[in-house]
Amino acid sequence: MPNTAADPSRLCLSQLAPATVQSEIRAMTLECDRMSGINLAQGICDTPVPAPVEEGAIQAIRDGHNIYTRLDGIQRLRNAISAKQLRDYGLGYDPESEVLVSSGATGGLHAAAMALLNPGDEVLIFEPFYGYHVATLKSMRVTPVFVPLAEPDFALDLDALRAAITPRTRAILLNTPANPSGKVFSLAETEAIAAVCQEHDLFLITDEIYEYFVYDGARHIAPATLPGMRERTIVLSGFSKTFSVTGWRLGYVTADAKWMGAISYFHDLTYVCAPSALQHGAAAGLEQLPPSFYTQLASDHQSKRARILSALRDAGFEPSVPAGAYYVLAAAAHIPGKTAAEKARYLLASTGVASVAGSAFFRPGHGENLLRFCFAKKDHELDDACDRLRRL
Ligand code: PLP
């Protein structure tokens, strides 16, 4: 019998592991912490947690809600999510079979991909993209196929979308409002994407985590509301951004009951359930916060957006103006460095402000002139960052 334990070819990493690299966003965060800088790199969102959310979670711990919940979450929160989808979009989801409380939108995507996709399948993703989307699919041996949005305003290029479809295409992944571009897909664009899904019998996986972060009167279109789309749309969203609780790991999936059993099964396998007491905090937030909370959230961030845009322009950047989400992509031709990663490090070293290299959101060779800045910061920190940028 060969001694397999001593065989070096068996004692090795998986085929996927060598290709993994730490995300540029986390790398910049570490570097920023090391030099006590201001972190505009990660979408940490360190604005205050709304009182009902905070108090609801604390009370839930005291009340003993500290054990596993049903695999798809507590009934109270499933009911509240279902009511929210109906209130905001007129979308009806049965809280018993069509709502999953997930461990963040991130956990929701992982579970949905496990449930719906096979190795070798292709998923269309708009570029610039959010890195976790791409890396999550790759980790399941699903192939992301990139569809570039047209510069300068990141318009949908319908011909490029159609050209990217192959017999292996199973889904389109649509993030709106989008990270990092701030693009809010218009009704006409969303209708065009929906038509492609129906023509080619594709799933539409939507990441709507920035649904309330829309500016200048822009409106978030929930793609599942379009005719014929509810059945094939898997909606991902969550509380990280809306309630400023990125570390709670709390989000949700809403989808037709046909898919939800399998999605919930795979979520259970990895996470067992979303954090129990924290689910009560999110439920309290959904139940108690008035509609004005959400409009205030948008107007607060619109004013933060104005501050960072003005500072970036004063500092010689050419920022694009985001219609949604809370990031600015800015051209940084004047910043020394051959690559965007070098530019981001130069900026951190010279101002103490951390940004992310634009290349993190594009295929290799693209985005090297861009830096991304997150403006979901407390006002005094954002103002400090703006002062430092102006002194560049
Ligand atoms: N989706 C997008 C587009 C994001 O930008 C982020 C965070 O930056 C997430 C999902 C993460 O969401 P969650 O914290 O709910 O996993």
Side-chain angles (χ1 to χ4, degrees):
M1 281 282 283
N3 180 357
T4 52
D7 180 347
S9 66
R10 288 173 189 264
L11 199 62
C12 64
L13 293 168
S14 75
Q15 287 167 353
L16 288 176
T20 57
V21 279
Q22 175 171 256
S23 86
E24 233 342 83
I25 301 175
R26 283 200 185 273
M28 282 308 286
T29 295
L30 286 177
E31 191 59 22
C32 180
D33 288 349
R34 204 178 55 77
M35 56 179 291
S36 307
I38 304 180
N39 190 357
L40 303 191
Q42 203 166 12
I44 297 177
C45 190
D46 52 10
T47 42
V49 178
V53 177
E54 196 173 273
E55 279 149 25
I58 293 167
Q59 193 55 47
I61 292 174
R62 296 207 169 111
D63 290 345
H65 293 292
N66 302 306
I67 57 171
Y68 300 134
T69 70
R70 207 172 99 163
L71 65 88
D72 51 358
I74 61 170
Q75 185 177 17
R76 179 182 174 200
L77 182 52
R78 281 183 282 108
N79 285 346
I81 292 165
S82 170
K84 171 228 168 294
Q85 295 294 63
L86 194 61
R87 176 198 70 198
D88 288 350
Y89 308 117
L91 283 167
Y93 289 104
D94 179 356
E96 278 303 303
S97 58
E98 298 187 316
V99 177
L100 164 69
V101 180
S102 59
S103 198
T106 307
L109 175 60
H110 192 271
M114 287 296 288
L116 306 176
L117 303 172
N118 297 308
D121 284 351
E122 294 176 358
V123 173
L124 306 187
I125 294 194
F126 296 103
E127 180 190 51
F129 48 74
Y130 170 57
Y132 267 72
H133 290 159
V134 172
T136 299
L137 295 174
K138 282 186 177 168
S139 78
M140 286 170 211
R141 295 160 166 89
V142 170
T143 309
V145 174
F146 301 104
V147 179
L149 294 169
E151 304 272 355
D153 54 354
F154 304 110
L156 172 68
D157 179 344
L158 197 53
D159 293 335
L161 180 65
R162 288 187 186 285
I165 292 173
T166 77
R168 288 175 175 248
T169 311
R170 295 283 318 286
I172 298 177
L173 202 166
L174 175 63
N175 173 212
T176 183
N179 174 10
S181 65
K183 179 181 174 60
V184 177
F185 283 74
S186 69
L187 178 60
E189 287 174 324
T190 315
E191 283 172 343
I193 293 168
V196 170
C197 287
Q198 294 184 34
E199 225 171 280
H200 295 273
D201 211 15
L202 308 176
F203 281 109
L204 182 62
I205 302 172
T206 65
D207 180 337
E208 303 178 42
I209 193 122
Y210 297 104
E211 61 194 312
Y212 297 116
F213 296 83
V214 283
Y215 313 121
D216 302 328
R219 191 163 69 91
H220 170 60
I221 309 291
T225 58
L226 299 183
M229 288 306 291
R230 183 193 176 283
E231 185 197 355
R232 63 176 69 245
T233 303
I234 312 297
V235 181
L236 311 173
S237 193
F239 306 104
S240 284
K241 316 288 176 175
T242 309
F243 293 160
S244 310
V245 288
T246 51
W248 282 17
R249 313 310 310 126
L250 208 54
Y252 56 87
V253 182
T254 56
D256 194 274
K258 259 196 276 194
W259 323 117
M260 201 46 114
I263 297 173
S264 299
Y265 172 87
F266 284 108
H267 188 270
D268 178 23
L269 217 52
T270 316
Y271 303 101
V272 182
C273 63
S276 169
L278 306 184
Q279 293 189 46
H280 286 270
L286 287 180
E287 290 161 2
Q288 293 171 34
L289 291 166
S292 59
F293 167 80
Y294 301 95
T295 46
Q296 189 62 45
L297 191 66
S299 64
D300 287 351
H301 283 78
Q302 185 165 321
S303 110
K304 292 178 199 292
R305 182 191 67 160
R307 285 172 155 93
I308 187 88
L309 284 172
S310 140
L312 287 170
R313 287 188 188 116
D314 289 350
F317 292 89
E318 287 175 48
S320 63
V321 179
Y326 50 53
Y327 307 94
V328 175
L329 269 184
H334 64 308
I335 303 290
K338 280 196 294 294
T339 63
E342 284 177 15
K343 289 173 188 285
R345 279 168 182 75
Y346 176 91
L347 190 68
L348 179 61
S350 54
T351 64
V353 174
S355 57
V356 187
S359 48
F361 310 100
F362 291 83
R363 282 166 290 179
H366 299 260
E368 296 293 3
N369 196 32
L370 296 172
L371 295 178
R372 190 199 73 172
F373 297 85
C374 171
F375 55 86
K377 305 293 289 181
K378 293 190 186 84
D379 281 343
H380 70 91
E381 271 180 307
L382 187 62
D383 288 342
D384 188 6
C386 289
D387 289 345
R388 288 165 182 243
L389 286 171
R390 285 195 173 93
R391 288 199 296 269
L392 180 68

